[in-house]
Amino acid sequence: MENIKLGEAEYRLMNIVWEKGPLPAMELAGICLEQYDWKKSTVYTMLKRLGDKGVLAFEEKVVTVLIPKEQVDRMESQALLEKAYRGSVPDFFAAFLQDRKLTREEAVRIQKMIEEAMK
């Protein structure tokens, strides 16, 4: 599948759809007005773009998720890794940990992930 890139506003809207969907577009517009002060026309424009990207369906005034959040997050993470760190996981970790200390629990969790990835 092709890499999907969401802008910050698109990602905010999608978080609502992932959490509450499927839902009527008018209900989504109301939530966006309340949370972000976005006009209905703004929401409908983003729905059109997100539909064109294949992330959601906007049919018969109902918004439905087509791609789960976890899949979009993986694609965006991979794109960041490629763009900023030339695909190097060690370079990413070095930058991430440069000014940060891990808790013991975080270190154990990351170590388990590394061990799983090596299998």
Side-chain angles (χ1 to χ4, degrees):
M1 169 172 270
E2 143 186 352
N3 194 16
I4 295 172
K5 293 181 179 136
L6 300 182
E8 184 178 337
E10 291 172 331
Y11 194 80
R12 285 184 190 179
L13 184 138
M14 282 306 303
N15 275 320
I16 296 168
V17 178
W18 283 317
E19 182 182 327
K20 301 180 184 291
L23 73 161
M26 285 300 293
E27 183 180 334
L28 177 60
I31 293 168
C32 290
L33 178 64
E34 184 179 299
Q35 288 187 8
Y36 305 119
D37 200 29
W38 294 344
K39 295 180 182 173
K40 179 179 148 186
S41 60
T42 301
V43 173
Y44 278 64
T45 298
M46 281 197 282
L47 289 175
K48 169 81 170 89
R49 282 197 319 245
L50 290 163
D52 291 345
K53 291 181 180 186
V55 180
L56 57 75
F58 177 35
E59 298 170 345
E60 298 185 25
K61 301 180 183 179
V62 175
V63 181
T64 307
V65 170
L66 295 178
I67 299 180
K69 181 181 189 314
E70 297 76 18
Q71 187 175 349
V72 171
D73 287 348
R74 273 193 310 273
M75 285 187 272
E76 291 209 347
S77 297
Q78 187 62 38
L80 172 65
L81 186 66
E82 291 298 325
K83 177 181 176 184
Y85 303 100
R86 297 165 314 283
S88 170
V89 174
D91 288 353
F92 166 78
F93 272 107
F96 180 75
L97 295 173
Q98 185 174 10
D99 297 319
R100 185 171 196 270
K101 296 289 183 200
L102 294 177
T103 66
R104 180 159 195 68
E105 292 79 20
E106 288 172 325
V108 167
R109 187 171 171 211
I110 291 169
Q111 187 169 1
K112 285 181 182 176
M113 284 187 257
I114 292 168
E115 289 168 2
E116 276 299 307
M118 292 173 54
K119 290 183 179 178

